[in-house]
Amino acid sequence: MRGVLHCVLAGILVSACAIPRAGGAPVAPVERAWSVPTLELYQEWWTRTEQCSGLKGDMSLVTFYAVDSPSGAISLGTEVAHGWWIREGNRIYLPANALGEEWLVRHEMLHALMQRGSHPAGMFVEACHLASGPVWRDSTLAEDPGNPHGR
Ligand SMILES: [Zn+2]
């Protein structure tokens, strides 16, 4: 995972959102990806993510990609995640079958708004409830059970 920030790891490894290494290896390993036009729905989700986070950003600077991944897992190098935000090019990769999954799409949007790959609880859990599926379903959670340290 070089020069890349990602999130929402698949399976139980939710806490392992990796820190990018310096130096740059290729960043286009997400295979079978194609760019998707941003829907009106995405603008709505973007706006709501701006509102919960208090951040402002231009969604037209973000490119969304769909990845053919029936399992919902997307590999990037040796890492596997449900979705990825990549700083370089401000790109978001989502499984094609999860383009309508609000928490996942908005989770990646929040990374794009923050321009960082970590998961501070104040933002991802308390303000926006977008840390993970469990946090999305139970907005009373104060921390992400799969990632208590907000990495
Ligand atoms: Zn994330």
Side-chain angles (χ1 to χ4, degrees):
M1 231 215 44
R2 296 159 194 93
V4 183
L5 294 166
H6 79 281
C7 315
V8 194
L9 290 176
I12 56 172
L13 296 173
V14 182
S15 65
C17 235
I19 307 282
R21 284 175 213 153
V27 185
V30 230
E31 296 129 25
R32 303 195 303 276
W34 60 96
S35 72
V36 293
T38 49
L39 318 166
E40 201 171 308
L41 179 62
Y42 275 25
Q43 185 58 61
E44 190 184 312
W45 286 355
W46 181 267
T47 300
R48 279 169 48 200
T49 309
E50 284 181 324
Q51 286 167 349
C52 69
S53 67
L55 299 171
K56 282 280 172 200
D58 181 353
M59 191 180 77
S60 71
L61 300 177
V62 181
T63 308
F64 293 82
Y65 293 90
V67 180
D68 180 16
S69 171
S71 72
I74 301 173
S75 68
L76 183 53
T78 58
E79 307 285 330
V80 178
H82 295 307
W84 296 82
W85 167 73
I86 298 178
R87 184 195 306 274
E88 188 180 331
N90 214 358
R91 289 173 283 167
I92 289 175
Y93 290 86
L94 298 158
N97 61 9
L99 293 173
E101 189 126 355
E102 180 174 349
W103 81 265
L104 182 60
V105 176
R106 290 183 55 211
H107 178 108
E108 302 304 337
M109 286 177 171
L110 184 50
H111 282 296
L113 279 165
M114 296 171 61
Q115 289 289 299
R116 54 187 284 203
S118 59
H119 302 90
M123 199 64 102
F124 274 90
V125 181
E126 291 161 36
C128 293
H129 314 300
L130 295 171
S132 62
V135 169
W136 174 247
R137 287 187 291 274
D138 180 359
S139 61
T140 65
L141 290 176
E143 67 178 32
D144 179 4
N147 182 14
H149 303 295
R151 284 192 276 264

